[in-house]
Amino acid sequence: MTSLRHNGPDQTDSPRDGYLDAARDCILDVGWRRTTLTEVARRAGVSRMTIYRTWADMPTLLGDLMTREWAGVVAATVAGEDPAAPTLDRLVADVVGTVRALRENELFVRIVELDPELLLPYLLSRRGRSQDAILALTEGQVREGQVDGTIRAGNPVAIARGLLLAAHGFVLSAHTMVDDHVSEDELDAELTVLLSRTLTP
Amino acid sequence: MTSLRHNGPDQTDSPRDGYLDAARDCILDVGWRRTTLTEVARRAGVSRMTIYRTWADMPTLLGDLMTREWAGVVAATVAGEDPAAPTLDRLVADVVGTVRALRENELFVRIVELDPELLLPYLLSRRGRSQDAILALTEGQVREGQVDGTIRAGNPVAIARGLLLAAHGFVLSAHTMVDDHVSEDELDAELTVLLSRTLTP
């Protein structure tokens, strides 16, 4: 798939983005555990101190990198939607599109392959910044759809969180459910039915 | 909560079940990583060789323990259902009930607390025996509901797998979505709406 790291001209404008690009390349090459701030500095062509001034340690850098990456995935999906479509249809297309894009994102795939334990805190302990950003976006669309009558009534925060919980499995585990009996497209069609029916008034 | 390990009188009939009970107690006490076959033998009051004859290593024992435990959770939930209710309603109640029971199961909670990386293979790599058993049960109920007209048409395998994927997040991550804005009961109500509407013809 195409890298999502360069979504627009201003994506790599700042030196900080260049350092994150270097970290991303390093993680894709050797995995998270073998990526050090020293190696990130070497790849970015700057001194170790320059990187240390921006991030005290690799977990902090990783948090920023993941936040940028997943925000890019969501932004690219939302940018592809039909602005004239009803709110319900846009929300469903956004969720299904984001699920597919995350599942195919090269950084996500590499983390799942080499360092899956990095995902555990965001599943078991606390929401990450990207999850909160996605929830805020979803909640806003639910409220909008409730106003224009395309989405059912109910606590929009609970509805948005329920959708995110339902989507988690389709991102992380869909491939464990694909074999001769069921294709990935069939599962995504199930997700579309699930979301549309859950949200319809 | 009540332990689900003794669901019926025949649950601990065999020596094997007694050894699994000893392993379960040990995992609850000190966690999976610090549980050894030697310690399981000590707690079960048998020789190390007796345990080794049944399980070559701790991963094999853990697989059997988890399979027994989750099967017990499902069986206890299904046993509590109203046999006169429509197939759709029984299936929804079974899934929501199993999700709640797993989330509160003491072995599951302990694994999530101390050894969450044990769950990763079943999320990211392959389905476990319990997941396959739950899928078979779900698929059977979907087929039944399709015959009696309470569940929509479609590939019952894809429908069952879609439901399981949607349920994963409600088991693993519901507590990360609970705060002043949303209660666990509200999330479970969202799951109920999601399942009912997804399955209705």
Side-chain angles (χ1 to χ4, degrees):
Chain A
M1 66 163 290
T2 314
S3 162
L4 282 157
R5 126 182 82 128
H6 304 297
N7 288 317
D10 51 12
Q11 191 81 7
T12 49
D13 267 356
S14 74
R16 191 176 165 285
D17 268 313
Y19 310 155
L20 287 177
D21 286 344
R24 187 182 190 278
D25 287 343
C26 196
I27 292 171
L28 289 181
D29 277 356
V30 300
W32 152 255
R33 251 172 311 203
R34 291 169 59 199
T35 297
T36 60
L37 288 177
T38 305
E39 176 62 13
V40 172
R42 199 191 61 75
R43 288 190 185 233
V46 297
S47 75
R48 244 170 42 151
M49 272 317 292
T50 303
I51 300 293
Y52 275 108
R53 267 195 296 271
T54 317
W55 298 282
D57 50 34
M58 274 300 293
T60 316
L61 186 155
L62 183 75
D64 283 354
L65 175 61
M66 291 205 293
T67 301
R68 186 186 72 161
E69 186 86 10
W70 317 148
V73 169
V74 173
T77 305
V78 171
E81 77 185 10
D82 173 9
T87 313
L88 169 67
D89 298 350
R90 279 190 290 127
L91 178 50
V92 172
D94 285 348
V95 176
V96 177
T98 300
V99 164
R100 293 190 83 117
L102 275 176
R103 215 158 53 196
E104 292 165 7
N105 175 274
E106 58 185 354
L107 184 62
F108 186 80
V109 168
R110 198 68 174 145
I111 290 173
V112 166
E113 271 174 4
L114 289 184
D115 308 290
E117 67 284 357
L118 291 179
L119 302 171
L120 283 172
Y122 307 106
L123 291 177
L124 301 175
S125 304
R126 60 180 181 80
R127 302 195 299 272
R129 276 175 283 165
S130 305
Q131 284 163 308
D132 275 334
I134 289 172
L135 280 176
L137 200 66
T138 307
E139 190 193 321
Q141 282 184 290
V142 169
R143 285 182 197 279
E144 199 185 318
Q146 287 177 332
V147 170
D148 69 25
T150 57
I151 291 179
R152 76 174 155 87
N155 178 355
V157 186
I159 293 175
R161 292 187 189 176
L163 293 189
L164 196 63
L165 288 178
H168 268 181
F170 286 87
V171 176
L172 290 169
S173 311
H175 60 285
T176 71
M177 299 287 178
V178 169
D179 54 24
D180 291 348
H181 304 289
V182 181
S183 68
E184 193 173 271
D185 284 346
E186 268 181 296
L187 290 177
D188 286 341
E190 284 296 321
L191 178 60
T192 304
V193 168
L194 181 157
L195 294 167
S196 308
R197 287 180 167 216
T198 302
L199 289 168
T200 296
Chain B
M1 63 163 294
T2 314
S3 163
L4 283 157
R5 122 185 86 128
H6 305 297
N7 289 317
D10 51 12
Q11 190 81 10
T12 50
D13 267 356
S14 73
R16 190 175 165 286
D17 268 313
Y19 310 154
L20 287 177
D21 285 345
R24 187 182 190 279
D25 287 343
C26 196
I27 292 171
L28 289 181
D29 277 356
V30 299
W32 153 255
R33 253 171 309 203
R34 292 170 59 200
T35 296
T36 59
L37 289 177
T38 306
E39 177 62 14
V40 172
R42 198 192 62 75
R43 288 191 185 231
V46 297
S47 74
R48 244 169 41 150
M49 272 317 292
T50 304
I51 299 294
Y52 276 108
R53 267 196 296 270
T54 316
W55 297 281
D57 51 33
M58 276 299 294
T60 316
L61 185 155
L62 182 76
D64 282 356
L65 176 60
M66 291 205 293
T67 300
R68 185 185 74 162
E69 186 85 11
W70 315 148
V73 168
V74 173
T77 305
V78 170
E81 77 185 10
D82 173 9
T87 313
L88 169 68
D89 298 351
R90 280 191 287 124
L91 178 50
V92 171
D94 285 348
V95 176
V96 177
T98 300
V99 165
R100 292 190 84 116
L102 275 176
R103 215 158 51 195
E104 291 165 5
N105 175 275
E106 58 185 352
L107 184 61
F108 186 79
V109 168
R110 198 70 175 143
I111 289 173
V112 166
E113 271 174 5
L114 289 183
D115 307 291
E117 67 284 357
L118 292 178
L119 303 171
L120 283 173
Y122 306 106
L123 291 177
L124 302 176
S125 304
R126 59 179 182 81
R127 302 195 299 270
R129 276 175 283 165
S130 305
Q131 284 163 308
D132 274 335
I134 289 172
L135 281 177
L137 200 66
T138 307
E139 190 192 320
Q141 282 184 289
V142 169
R143 285 182 197 280
E144 199 185 315
Q146 287 177 331
V147 169
D148 70 25
T150 57
I151 291 180
R152 74 175 155 88
N155 178 355
V157 186
I159 293 175
R161 293 187 187 176
L163 293 189
L164 195 64
L165 287 178
H168 270 180
F170 286 87
V171 175
L172 290 169
S173 311
H175 61 283
T176 70
M177 299 286 178
V178 169
D179 55 24
D180 292 347
H181 304 290
V182 180
S183 68
E184 192 172 273
D185 284 346
E186 268 181 295
L187 289 178
D188 286 342
E190 284 297 320
L191 178 60
T192 304
V193 168
L194 180 157
L195 294 168
S196 308
R197 288 181 166 215
T198 302
L199 290 168
T200 296

